Amino acid sequence: MSNRSRISAALRRPLLRLHSYAGILIAPFLLVSALTGLAYALSYPLEDALYADLRTVEPGSERLGLAAQVEAVTAAHPDWTVTAVRPAAEDDASTAVLVDDGVARESGAVAVVYVDPYTGDVLGESTSYGSSQAGPVREWISTLHRNLHLGEPGRLYSELAASWLWVVALGGLVLWLTRRRRNGGLLYPKPAGAGRSRTLAWHGPVGLWLVAALLFLSVTGLTWSRYAGEHIADLREALSWTTPSVSVEAAGDHGGHGGHDHSGASGASPFAVALLDSVYAAARDADMNGPLQITLPTGAGTRYLVAETHRALPLEQDQMVVDTASGAPEVAEELRFADWPFMAQVTNVFIAAHMGLLFGLANQLLLAAVMVALLCVIAWGYRMWWQRRPEGGLVGRPYPRGSLRRLPWPLVAGIVVAAVGVGWWFPLFGLSLAAFVAIDVAIGLWQRFRKPPKENEDGEARISRRAALAGATISAAVGAGAGMAIASSRPDDGEAAADTASVEPFFGERQAGIETPAQAHALFASFTLSGTDLASGAALDASAVAANLRALLQDWSAVAAALAAGEAPPKARIDGDDQFDAEAVAAGLDPARLTVTFGLGPGAFAKTGLGRVQPSKLVELPEFDGDRLNPAWSGGDLLVQICGDDQQVVSGAFLELRKRAVGLAALGWVQQGFSSRPAGGGTPRNLMGFKDGSANPEVGSEAFDSRVWAVDAEPAWFEGGTYLVFRKIRMRLPDWSMLSRDDQNLTFGRERDSGVPLSGGGEFDHPDFTALDASGLPAVPADSHIAVVHDAPMVRRGYNYDYGFLTQGDVSSDAAADGHLDGHMHAEHPYDAGLLFVSFQADPQAFVDAQEKMAASDRLSEFVTAEGSGVFVLPPGAPEGGYVGQGLFEA
C-alpha cells in the first residue's frame, strides 16, 4: 500500500504496546543495571579516597631508581616474585609493583605492592583488577553491575537489560517525536494538567535527551555479554576490528577491552630487575609517554613488554618489546595506537567511555547523571502505567492489541523477518520477545473465546438469554402480524395515534433511551450513595446501603414509568399534603417521548457488597492523554439519563427523581445537552458543524446488537444490558473556527455539509482508506477522526451543550496560560461548549481502545478536551410492574 501515513499510524499502536510491555517487564533489569551502574560511576572517587594512603605520597626531591624500589619490595616480601612494575606517573603517586604472592586469584586479578618512589618505603599491599587497575571496592561494584556476583548465570541479567535497552530507547524516541503535543514540550519538560499527561511531560523530554547515551551504553555493554558478545566478537574478527597486540614470551595478554593483566608465575631474575631502569629509559626515549606498565621477562628471558596504560584522552595505548639480549636495551618490536585498525581504535575509545575512563572525573559524573536520569525515566514510566489503571485497580491497562492485522501482509512479514534476525543476533532479546508474544497471544485468545458455562440451579445446561430473546422475538412477530390484521379491519383513530406517538414505554426487555431515536433534549445526572442514615447520622453497613439502593431504584422506576406515560407519579415519601410537588412543573404537558435510563457505577457494587455479581468489565476508566478531568464532573455510583423532546418535561422529571433521592443518594453532577435534526431529517450535527453518528449501525441490526448488548461472560442478571461511557468534551470552537473548510474536512475525514467520507460514496458508506486524492495523497488522512476510530465496536448517542462564557474560574479547566488562535477565549471568561459524548458498548474496552488511538494520532484531539468522564452499567429493562435492576437483588 502507498498510504504511508496510515501505515505509520497503524505501526504506532504496536510500538506503544511493545514499549509499554518492555518498560513494565524489562524495567526491573534496567533498574538494577542503572543502580549498580550509578554505584560503579561513583566508585572511582570513592576508591581514590579509600586507597589514598597506598596510592599517594608526599613528593620528594629525587626519586629512587625502579630497581631500588623493586628491591625494597623483595626485601619486605622475599617469597613473592615480581612480575611487573607500574612506575609512578605523577609527582605525588606511588609506584605499583605487581607480584605473585602464591594466592590463587580470578582471571585478571594480581597482587600489587605499593612503594614510595622517593624513600623506598613499602606502603602496603592490595589487589589490582584489569586494565582499569581497579581496586577491590571498585571491582566488587563492577562485578555487581556485571553479574550480581552470581557468576556466569548472573551475566544473563545484564545481557537482557542491554539487549532491550536500545529497543526501549529507540521506541520511546519514535513515539515521542511522532506524538502530537500542545504548547511545545518536545525538548524540555513542560508539565501541565494532571495525571498521566503531566508525568509524560517529564518522561518524554528526559528520555529524549537520554537516547544517545542509552544507545551507547547498550551497544558497548553488549560487547561484554555472553551470547550477543560472541556474535559481536565473531563480527569483529571477520572485519579485522579486533584489538591488536604484540606478543612476548611470558608476557601477559594485553589485548581486548577487558584488558586483564596476566603475569608469569615463574618470576623474574635479579638480573632482569637490575635492568629495569635502562629499559624504562629506553621506552621513554622511544616516546612511550604517560603511565606505563613494564612486564619483566621470566626465567632467562630478555624481552620486556612495555605498554602505555592511559585510557583517558588523549589515549596512550602504544606497546613495544624491549630486548636486552645484547646487554643494552633495544626496541625489538612496537605497535602504536595510531596503527590500530580504525574500528579497533573506536571500540577502545567507546569502552573507555563506558567504563568512565575517557574523560576522567567528568566522564564518571556524566555516567552518574545518566543513571540518575534513567532511574527517573523508569520511575515515571511505572507511574504512568499505574495512572492508566482503572480506579481501584492495582495495575494499568496495556495498550490495545490487533494493529498488526491492519497492516499489509508484506510489511507484517518484513517485521517478523526483522524480529527474527534481531532475535538471532541478540539471543536473550529474541527469546524474551518470543515469550512476550506467545503469552500475549495466549491471553488474547483466552479473553476472546472464554465463555463460562451457564447452568440452572440443578447444574444442568440452560438456554441462554440470547436464545430466549430470539424465541420471544419470533413469537412477538407472529402476534404482531395477527394484531395488525385485526387492527386493519377497524376504523382509523387518528387522534389516538397522535396521543400514543409521544409515549415511549418504560417497561420492557431493555431500558428505553438506548435504542430510542435520539430526542431533542437530554439531561445526565450522577448520584453518590449515602453511607450514613439521614435521621441519626449513623454509618450504614453494606446491606443497609444495598437496601437503600433497591428502594431508590423501585421508587425511581415507578416515577419514570408514570412520567413517560404522561401520568402523575406517586407521591414522594417526603411530600406533605400541602407541599409543592415537583411534578407540577410539567403538569398538562405532553410526555414528548420522555425516556429515563438508569445506570450503576463501580462504586455502587463496592458500597453495597454486591461485588460478586458485578458485571465483569465494569472498572473505572483511566485518564487518557490530553484529558483534563474535573472530579466534580466525573464518576458516580448512579447515573440517570433523561431524554425528551420538551426541555420542561425533562427538567420536571429530573426534579422529581432528585427529590426522591434525598437521604439515599446525593447529587454529584448534572450536564444538559440538546440535539437538533435538520429540517429534512437525517443525522444531527455537533457544534463543529459535522454530522455526529453517521457510522452508527441501524437499530435492531445484527451489527447494532453485537456492539451494544452484553451477553457472554456476564452475570445472568445483566445479560441483555449494556455499558455506558459518558464524557464531557469541551470543544475549542474559536480555534476550530479559524480553520478553513478543507482543513476541517481533513480533520474529520468527511465533508462537513454532506457527511460523505472524503473517499467518496454516501454518508453511511464505509470509508475507502486506499483511495487517493488528485495529488496522490490518501483521500482520508490516516490521522483523521474517522480513520482512527472507524472500527470502534460501539454506538454513539451524543448531545451538544453550550454553557456560554463561564465566569467562575474554578469550574474551568482552561489555565490562564493557555494560548488561543483568535484571542476570543480568555481565562476570566472561558467559553464552555462542546459535546456530551455517550456511547453504548458490550465491552468498555472498545471505548478505551478508541480513545487510546485518538490520543495517539487523531488530529481532532487538538480541538477537544475531555473534562468529565464516567462508566456505568445499564441493567436490562424492568418487567411490567417491576423495577430496573430487579435481577441484581434476586441473583
Side-chain angles (χ1 to χ4, degrees):
M1 294 175 62
S2 59
N3 192 341
R4 294 183 179 178
S5 349
R6 181 187 174 198
I7 291 175
S8 298
L11 283 173
R12 181 177 173 83
R13 288 184 63 196
L15 186 58
L16 274 168
R17 190 172 178 85
L18 176 64
H19 186 72
S20 175
Y21 268 151
I24 293 167
L25 301 174
I26 301 299
F29 298 94
L30 295 176
L31 187 66
V32 173
S33 187
L35 285 171
T36 56
L38 173 62
Y40 181 76
L42 298 178
S43 68
Y44 283 89
L46 174 64
E47 191 172 71
D48 289 341
L50 290 175
Y51 301 112
D53 59 329
L54 297 179
R55 298 180 178 180
T56 60
V57 298
E58 286 292 332
S61 58
E62 186 176 354
R63 291 187 182 182
L64 299 175
L66 287 180
Q69 297 177 47
V70 172
E71 288 171 356
V73 172
T74 57
H77 301 283
D79 296 332
W80 294 359
T81 302
V82 176
T83 59
V85 180
R86 296 171 184 163
E90 304 292 341
D91 290 341
D92 61 348
S94 61
T95 293
V97 179
L98 281 60
V99 299
D100 179 4
D101 59 358
V103 177
R105 289 180 170 82
E106 59 186 297
S107 175
V110 62
V112 58
V113 180
Y114 294 94
V115 60
D116 188 325
Y118 300 101
T119 65
D121 294 337
V122 174
L123 304 176
E125 305 82 35
S126 185
T127 304
S128 179
Y129 298 82
S131 62
S132 67
Q133 302 177 14
V137 171
R138 181 150 56 93
E139 177 62 17
W140 189 92
I141 296 175
S142 175
T143 304
L144 180 69
H145 178 61
R146 187 167 56 251
N147 61 23
L148 302 179
H149 289 280
L150 298 176
E152 194 65 23
R155 292 177 63 188
L156 300 181
Y157 117 83
S158 57
E159 181 171 354
L160 188 65
S163 297
W164 275 94
L165 182 57
W166 66 273
V167 178
V168 175
L170 285 180
L173 175 66
V174 172
L175 292 173
W176 185 244
L177 292 179
T178 58
R179 174 182 170 79
R180 293 182 177 275
R181 58 184 62 80
R182 302 187 183 101
N183 302 324
L186 173 66
L187 297 178
Y188 303 100
K190 296 188 67 175
R196 184 173 178 275
S197 297
R198 188 177 186 87
T199 308
L200 182 60
W202 285 98
H203 181 85
V206 175
L208 176 66
W209 284 101
L210 278 182
V211 166
L214 297 182
L215 291 177
F216 168 79
L217 293 174
S218 175
V219 171
T220 53
L222 284 170
T223 60
W224 278 289
S225 65
R226 168 67 175 84
Y227 298 102
E230 290 181 355
H231 290 160
I232 294 174
D234 292 342
L235 177 64
R236 293 180 64 195
E237 184 72 31
L239 298 177
S240 299
W241 290 354
T242 55
T243 302
S245 63
V246 296
S247 60
V248 60
E249 182 179 355
D253 175 17
H254 297 270
H257 69 259
H260 302 311
D261 298 313
H262 300 281
S263 57
S266 59
S269 66
F271 180 74
V273 173
L275 293 177
L276 265 174
D277 290 290
S278 59
V279 170
Y280 181 55
R284 285 296 193 185
D285 291 342
D287 200 27
M288 294 288 284
N289 301 311
L292 299 178
Q293 176 171 307
I294 306 173
T295 303
L296 280 68
T298 58
T302 61
R303 295 166 65 88
Y304 296 74
L305 176 62
V306 183
E308 293 178 335
T309 61
H310 196 248
R311 302 290 298 277
L313 286 177
L315 272 74
E316 293 172 332
Q317 295 284 285
D318 296 347
Q319 299 177 28
M320 68 172 48
V321 174
V322 178
D323 196 343
T324 59
S326 65
E330 297 178 352
V331 177
E333 183 180 355
E334 61 180 343
L335 175 64
R336 300 293 180 175
F337 180 75
D339 297 330
W340 289 16
F342 174 73
M343 289 307 300
Q345 293 179 345
V346 170
T347 301
N348 191 279
V349 170
F350 281 6
I351 293 301
H354 186 111
M355 297 175 67
L357 298 168
L358 188 62
F359 305 105
L361 181 60
N363 195 164
Q364 295 145 25
L365 294 178
L366 178 61
L367 287 175
V370 169
M371 294 301 102
V372 171
L374 178 57
L375 290 171
C376 291
V377 168
I378 293 172
W380 289 324
Y382 271 115
R383 178 171 173 79
M384 286 191 295
W385 178 50
W386 183 74
Q387 289 172 328
R388 277 176 53 82
R389 81 200 189 288
E391 186 174 329
L394 295 178
V395 297
R397 295 179 183 270
Y399 284 92
R401 60 171 61 86
S403 295
L404 290 179
R405 293 195 297 269
R406 300 183 178 92
L407 295 173
W409 71 262
L411 181 56
V412 175
I415 293 173
V416 172
V417 170
V420 171
V422 174
W424 175 87
W425 187 259
F426 305 110
L428 285 189
F429 167 78
L431 289 174
S432 55
L433 178 61
F436 290 167
V437 172
I439 294 172
D440 192 44
V441 170
I443 293 175
L445 292 175
W446 176 74
Q447 291 177 339
R448 181 177 180 183
F449 295 111
R450 62 181 175 133
K451 293 184 178 181
K454 301 175 182 179
E455 302 175 345
N456 59 21
E457 296 177 356
D458 299 325
E460 300 173 348
R462 63 177 175 83
I463 300 175
S464 69
R465 187 176 183 89
R466 176 177 285 181
L469 290 175
T473 302
I474 296 174
S475 300
V478 174
M484 290 178 65
I486 296 173
S488 63
S489 63
R490 297 179 179 174
D492 180 46
D493 189 345
E495 183 176 349
D499 289 341
T500 59
S502 61
V503 174
E504 294 287 349
F506 176 79
F507 298 109
E509 289 284 348
R510 287 162 177 153
Q511 291 196 68
I514 302 172
E515 294 178 304
T516 309
Q519 299 97 316
H521 302 279
L523 182 149
F524 301 89
S526 167
F527 292 83
T528 301
L529 289 171
S530 176
T532 58
D533 180 74
L534 179 63
S536 65
L540 301 176
D541 60 16
S543 61
V545 178
N548 284 346
L549 173 60
R550 181 174 185 174
L552 183 59
L553 289 176
Q554 287 176 321
D555 198 4
W556 273 358
S557 295
V559 171
L563 295 177
E567 302 170 356
K571 184 175 289 292
R573 57 186 172 84
I574 64 172
D575 280 345
D577 293 337
D578 59 347
Q579 189 173 18
F580 171 77
D581 290 334
E583 61 265 23
V585 171
L589 297 180
D590 188 275
R593 296 198 306 125
L594 178 72
T595 59
V596 182
T597 313
F598 301 116
L600 305 173
F605 294 89
K607 295 177 180 178
T608 58
L610 295 172
R612 61 183 177 82
V613 289
Q614 179 173 333
S616 62
K617 303 175 182 65
L618 180 62
V619 291
E620 293 288 0
L621 298 174
E623 183 172 351
F624 301 98
D625 288 352
D627 285 2
R628 293 185 181 179
L629 300 182
N630 187 332
W633 296 340
S634 301
D637 298 335
L638 301 171
L639 178 76
V640 178
Q641 171 190 281
I642 307 172
C643 302
D645 288 329
D646 188 316
Q647 176 65 62
Q648 189 156 337
V649 171
V650 170
S651 295
F654 167 67
L655 293 173
E656 185 65 58
L657 294 170
R658 180 185 182 185
K659 175 174 64 174
R660 292 168 186 269
V662 172
L664 305 179
L667 179 65
W669 50 262
V670 177
Q671 300 289 335
Q672 299 185 66
F674 57 89
S675 178
S676 301
R677 290 189 176 274
T683 309
R685 297 182 184 275
N686 59 35
L687 295 184
M688 286 180 164
F690 281 78
K691 295 190 174 185
D692 199 335
S694 299
N696 282 341
E698 184 179 355
V699 172
S701 66
E702 182 179 353
F704 184 97
D705 292 346
S706 64
R707 289 186 180 193
V708 173
W709 307 119
V711 176
D712 296 331
E714 296 290 3
W717 73 269
F718 182 58
E719 288 184 1
T722 187
Y723 292 87
L724 179 149
V725 169
F726 174 85
R727 303 273 284 177
K728 176 184 182 289
I729 301 175
R730 176 185 287 201
M731 296 175 173
R732 298 180 180 272
L733 294 178
D735 292 358
W736 175 255
S737 67
M738 298 300 293
L739 295 183
S740 67
R741 183 179 64 180
D742 287 343
D743 285 339
Q744 291 182 352
N745 289 347
L746 290 171
T747 299
F748 270 94
R750 294 183 181 274
E751 295 179 359
R752 184 183 62 189
D753 297 337
S754 65
V756 172
L758 297 183
S759 56
E763 176 189 349
F764 304 106
D765 290 343
H766 193 280
D768 180 4
F769 297 110
T770 64
L772 304 179
D773 60 17
S775 63
L777 296 174
V780 181
D783 58 352
S784 64
H785 184 60
I786 66 170
V788 174
V789 301
H790 72 279
D791 58 348
M794 58 187 180
V795 171
R796 297 166 53 103
R797 184 185 175 92
Y799 283 87
N800 301 317
Y801 78 89
D802 189 342
Y803 299 154
F805 287 89
L806 301 181
T807 58
Q808 301 179 45
D810 60 341
V811 298
S812 168
S813 70
D814 276 347
D818 277 3
H820 302 285
L821 296 176
D822 61 355
H824 292 311
M825 289 181 69
H826 308 287
E828 296 82 1
H829 303 287
Y831 186 45
D832 190 7
L835 179 70
L836 302 181
F837 173 93
V838 175
S839 65
F840 305 111
Q841 50 272 302
D843 184 349
Q845 187 63 38
F847 170 80
V848 173
D849 291 349
Q851 187 62 40
E852 292 282 7
K853 290 194 292 184
M854 282 189 62
S857 59
D858 192 337
R859 67 169 71 181
L860 182 61
S861 298
E862 298 180 15
F863 302 96
V864 296
T865 303
E867 299 180 326
S869 183
V871 60
F872 305 87
V873 292
L874 305 186
E880 191 73 34
Y883 61 95
V884 172
Q886 184 170 336
L888 170 63
F889 300 95
E890 298 172 352

